[in-house]
Amino acid sequence: MSAGPGGAKLLVMTARTAARALRRNRLRSGLTMLGMIIGVASVIAMVSVGAGADRFVQQQLASFGTNIVMVIPGAVTSGGARSGWGGASTLTVADADALARVPELAAVTYSRRQVLQVIYGSANWSTVVQGVTDEFERVRDWQVASGGFFGERHEKSGAKVAVLGQTVARHLFGPGQDPVGAIVRIKNVPFKVIGVLAAKGQSSWGQDQDDVVMIPFSTAERRVMGAGILGTVEMIYASARTTADLPVAADAIATVLRQQHHIGHGQEDDFTVRTLEDMTGASAAASEVMGNLLLAIASISLLVGGIGIMNILLVSVTERTREIGLRMAVGAKARHILLQFLTEAAVLSMTGGLVGVATGLAATHLIGRLAQWPTALEPASLAASFLFSGVVGIFFGYYPAYKASRLDPIEALRWE
Amino acid sequence: MAAAAGGAPLIETVGLARRYALGDATVHALVDATLRIDAGELVAIVGPSGSGKSTLMNLLGCLDRPTAGVYRLDGREVGGLDGDARAEIRNRRIGFVFQSFNLLARTTALENVELPLYYGPLPLAEQRPRAEAALARVGIAHRAHHVPSRMSGGEQQRVAIARALVGDPALVLADEPTGNLDSRTSGEIMTMLVELNRATGVTMVIVTHDPEVAAATDRVLEFRDGRIVADTPAAPRHGARTRATRAEA
């Protein structure tokens, strides 16, 4: 059999025959496609919602600062009792200074925090007062909206300056009042407001990040939080140079701190190093479970759609037994018959797929509009689900097509 | 067009046989059929139901394979060929005409006639003119765009004959071509088949129950119980029936 032009001709004829056969049974074809349509549409809607949620989480993470690594004191065993993390004061300013020399780290800062009353005139607000170094702005990638952040000289001199978070600024100052230059009191110590931080919104675990007042660490240590041991810090923040450096940076931090703390082999760390990836791991796992669940649902509807196609093709093969016999009598080879029914299956499922893509797009749009969920369209998923519908059609169409191609022409011609 | 040089054998069978297993029993549908049909002959096959006529037709049409014996078409042994090779022979060398026409419903006459060309080597652009010519040849070019359900039985059979001829075959096999037609239409169809045989030299083998149809041919093969029991040249056209009857006795 000629392959080149003959093959092209056959393909044209086969496609034409398939289209005609499906047009003849419009209602039946439409109902058969329904499974495919629902399957493909749900895949697309699900991927769009999933991608939208992912993007939302990514934005949340970015709001916390890029490539951030946190070190928390903790898990100290004393006399058999282990404290949880954050339960010990094992981290020091000296540790942070040692970490500043790790090449993978772009910046290091540290903090102590305490919930305190902040007073301005007759207004007061209970908030988290955080003593941090001037590098904090860089590590957390957090700009000021007005005024400025404190610098090294404020830190060295223990200056009584404060930078307010948006929430604090809003609660202490009336609209139209510029906090910059005002004096607020924390624990009876007057602080001059030198800047207001840009809004960061909620953290991914629901905390209002803007409900905060930043003061220089040295000032916090000496004037406000006192009590504790001088030189201890509650948390060290460091930022890796690149995202790719994160795991190396985390390891390097652990190594340096073990040296600093004289922790030998086999001994437990008295600190915990966490990257944002660790912290978001749980939520990522949850969204993965959700994604898999939706994928399972979509797979089931595609499976049902495929079975529908198989069923209707089996009916079609039976109905058209005589036609198949005739085609064989006038020279159709087994593969011609196979190709014809496979084409019908593919046309059926891919038309369903196309309608499904359109329906999925509409559904995505509607979800975005009505439920206000973040959605993100992924062109690759559109293409993939369309192609997959074709694959499903051909897979489930193969058996009926094979059955048709194995018919005996004499028997088929005699079929009533 | 196949050589119409009378005398050259188109079909040669030697000891052709076909058995079927029917449960535990074996049905000998065709036993030891040895015959020769020359190019350009017009042959009728007669005999009661189950006598082996259809079995022979299926074998001659390469729709079936013999269980024993030799079938040479145009000098080529074709009895043992596989499905694809037989499909190709059916497509290039053989045209079929059926009792029940076997036209595709909801498909125009023209497209019905084109059907064998789908599976042949003819380029797409040449198919339509060929099919139109074939329809014109059987005198129903004006019905080209009608579907079978809008046509009379005679018209449908003409379309079927056009479909059998469109691939320019060497052999046309007609199984009871007038079986579903009234006697007047039946006469028209037979006249047309004879005329086509005379004009184009295409070899025709017609299975029939109808003595009038057999009488219109050149030679009558009679079957009984899977065997050829008479092979009668119908030389003086009017005597054909008598001879056949006599041979039967």
Side-chain angles (χ1 to χ4, degrees), chain A residues 1 9-10 12-13 17 20 24 322-323 326-336 340 408-410 413-414, chain B residues 58 63-64 84 87-88 90-91 96 98 100 102 104-107 111 115-120 122 124 127 163:
Chain A
M1 181 83 207
K9 179 186 92 174
L10 197 71
V12 170
M13 304 313 306
T17 308
R20 185 183 301 160
R24 265 180 203 157
R322 269 177 90 96
E323 176 191 329
L326 177 75
R327 286 177 183 274
M328 286 175 160
V330 301
K333 296 175 183 171
R335 66 165 179 274
H336 295 147
Q340 185 187 328
D408 172 37
I410 300 168
L413 278 168
R414 239 183 252 149
Chain B
N58 289 338
L63 287 166
D64 197 4
D84 278 3
E88 208 161 308
R90 293 196 296 270
N91 185 250
F96 292 92
F98 305 93
S100 50
N102 273 328
L104 298 187
R106 290 181 286 187
T107 304
E111 286 170 324
L115 193 64
L117 303 178
Y118 290 3
Y119 304 107
L122 200 69
L124 203 54
Q127 290 185 9
R163 182 182 62 198

Side-chain angles (χ1 to χ4, degrees), chain B:
Chain B
M1 176 54 62
L10 178 72
I11 292 170
E12 276 183 292
T13 69
V14 181
L16 206 61
R18 182 68 169 96
R19 292 185 298 273
Y20 301 98
L22 199 73
D24 291 336
T26 304
V27 177
H28 295 269
L30 187 69
V31 186
D32 192 28
T34 298
L35 73 107
R36 166 180 161 163
I37 296 173
D38 290 342
E41 271 194 276
L42 177 58
V43 181
I45 298 182
V46 298
S49 301
S51 61
K53 314 184 298 275
S54 296
T55 304
L56 179 70
M57 288 294 262
N58 289 338
L59 289 172
L60 294 183
C62 287
L63 287 166
D64 197 4
R65 292 165 72 164
T67 35
V70 173
Y71 171 27
R72 276 192 291 273
L73 182 68
D74 251 351
R76 180 184 174 200
E77 164 66 49
V78 295
L81 294 177
D82 68 10
D84 278 3
R86 282 184 287 126
E88 208 161 308
I89 287 176
R90 293 196 296 270
N91 185 250
R92 313 282 160 84
R93 309 291 290 149
I94 302 170
F96 292 92
V97 177
F98 305 93
Q99 177 174 4
S100 50
F101 322 134
N102 273 328
L103 297 175
L104 298 187
R106 290 181 286 187
T107 304
T108 64
L110 193 60
E111 286 170 324
N112 264 293
V113 174
E114 280 176 335
L115 193 64
L117 303 178
Y118 290 3
Y119 304 107
L122 200 69
L124 203 54
E126 291 171 41
Q127 290 185 9
R128 187 124 299 185
R130 271 286 275 280
E132 280 166 348
L135 279 174
R137 166 108 239 169
V138 297
I140 48 163
H142 61 290
R143 303 291 266 164
H145 298 287
H146 289 249
V147 293
S149 56
R150 311 276 307 258
M151 291 190 243
S152 70
E155 284 174 325
Q156 290 188 48
Q157 195 59 303
R158 281 164 194 257
V159 174
I161 292 168
R163 182 182 62 198
L165 293 173
V166 74
D168 208 359
L171 173 66
V172 168
L173 297 172
D175 194 353
E176 300 277 8
T178 60
N180 280 5
L181 303 173
D182 61 56
S183 59
R184 195 176 66 85
T185 317
S186 166
E188 283 171 19
I189 292 294
M190 270 320 289
T191 309
M192 165 171 293
L193 289 175
V194 172
E195 188 272 320
L196 284 168
N197 166 258
R198 300 288 183 257
T200 64
V202 63
T203 308
M204 281 192 191
V205 178
I206 302 171
V207 165
T208 185
H209 273 110
D210 184 348
E212 301 226 1
V213 169
T217 64
D218 302 331
R219 177 182 170 193
V220 179
L221 288 171
E222 192 179 340
F223 272 77
R224 186 151 301 190
D225 300 327
R227 293 171 193 276
I228 303 171
V229 292
D231 183 349
T232 325
R237 190 135 288 195
H238 300 289
R241 205 160 109 206
T242 341
R243 284 193 191 194
T245 320
R246 216 174 285 145
E248 206 175 292

Side-chain angles (χ1 to χ4, degrees), chain A residues 346-362:
Chain A
V347 168
L348 202 56
S349 62
M350 286 174 104
T351 309
L354 214 58
V355 177
V357 167
T359 312
L361 287 176

Side-chain angles (χ1 to χ4, degrees), chain A residues 39-387:
Chain A
V40 169
S42 55
V43 167
I44 286 170
M46 154 211 120
V47 170
S48 303
V49 169
D54 265 3
R55 190 175 292 182
F56 185 71
V57 169
Q58 289 304 318
Q59 282 165 357
Q60 287 289 309
L61 289 187
S63 83
F64 199 80
T66 44
N67 309 329
I68 206 157
V69 187
M70 295 193 293
V71 187
I72 307 149
V76 172
T77 311
S78 55
R82 296 174 68 203
S83 66
W85 58 264
S89 312
T90 54
L91 294 176
T92 63
V93 173
D95 290 341
D97 290 343
L99 291 180
R101 292 190 292 271
V102 172
E104 285 85 4
L105 298 178
V108 178
T109 186
Y110 42 89
S111 77
R112 280 181 69 173
R113 50 164 61 198
Q114 203 166 331
V115 176
L116 293 167
Q117 212 72 16
V118 183
I119 302 159
Y120 172 68
S122 60
N124 74 90
W125 184 250
S126 173
T127 186
V128 176
V129 175
Q130 205 166 351
V132 298
T133 67
D134 54 295
E135 289 273 41
F136 188 84
E137 188 191 14
R138 224 177 113 202
V139 174
R140 288 238 15 216
D141 191 22
W142 199 347
Q143 269 75 46
V144 289
S146 62
F149 206 78
F150 40 82
E152 207 180 341
R153 79 195 149 84
H154 295 114
E155 170 68 32
K156 283 234 171 82
S157 64
K160 289 173 274 183
V161 291
V163 179
L164 307 185
Q166 286 278 342
T167 305
V168 177
R170 200 173 58 245
H171 281 100
L172 291 182
F173 298 87
Q177 270 183 296
D178 185 7
V180 177
I183 304 291
V184 295
R185 304 177 76 85
I186 303 167
K187 265 197 164 177
N188 268 328
V189 180
F191 281 83
K192 186 181 180 193
V193 177
I194 58 165
V196 176
L197 290 162
K200 274 232 157 178
Q202 281 192 356
S203 71
S204 45
W205 45 92
Q207 189 186 9
D208 180 3
Q209 299 184 84
D210 297 321
D211 194 0
V212 73
V213 172
M214 305 286 181
I215 57 176
F217 184 83
S218 54
T219 318
E221 199 173 37
R222 278 175 240 158
R223 306 262 178 180
V224 182
M225 301 178 189
I229 311 147
L230 273 180
T232 63
V233 302
E234 287 174 352
M235 200 180 280
I236 297 175
Y237 299 92
S239 66
R241 290 190 189 280
T242 65
T243 310
D245 279 340
L246 266 177
V248 184
D251 285 349
I253 289 169
T255 309
V256 169
L257 290 182
R258 285 174 71 88
Q259 277 169 12
Q260 286 275 323
H261 296 182
H262 308 290
I263 298 169
H265 278 292
Q267 279 180 283
E268 224 177 321
D269 291 346
D270 59 358
F271 58 88
T272 308
V273 180
R274 311 198 128 214
T275 60
L276 272 183
E277 267 170 52
D278 295 335
M279 289 183 276
T280 56
S283 79
S287 81
E288 197 174 314
V289 167
M290 195 64 190
N292 286 342
L293 196 72
L294 288 168
L295 198 67
I297 293 169
S299 307
I300 288 168
S301 56
L302 284 176
L303 184 79
V304 171
I307 291 170
I309 286 173
M310 175 148 82
N311 179 43
I312 220 66
L313 275 176
L314 283 171
V315 170
S316 178
V317 166
T318 307
E319 279 178 354
R320 288 155 69 192
T321 299
R322 269 177 90 96
E323 176 191 329
I324 295 163
L326 177 75
R327 286 177 183 274
M328 286 175 160
V330 301
K333 296 175 183 171
R335 66 165 179 274
H336 295 147
I337 302 295
L338 187 78
L339 185 69
Q340 185 187 328
F341 282 94
L342 277 184
T343 307
E344 265 174 51
V347 168
L348 202 56
S349 62
M350 286 174 104
T351 309
L354 214 58
V355 177
V357 167
T359 312
L361 287 176
T364 302
H365 183 73
L366 227 60
I367 289 169
R369 279 289 282 286
L370 299 181
Q372 298 286 321
W373 286 0
T375 58
L377 281 175
E378 299 210 337
S381 79
L382 298 188
S385 48
F386 174 63
L387 286 179

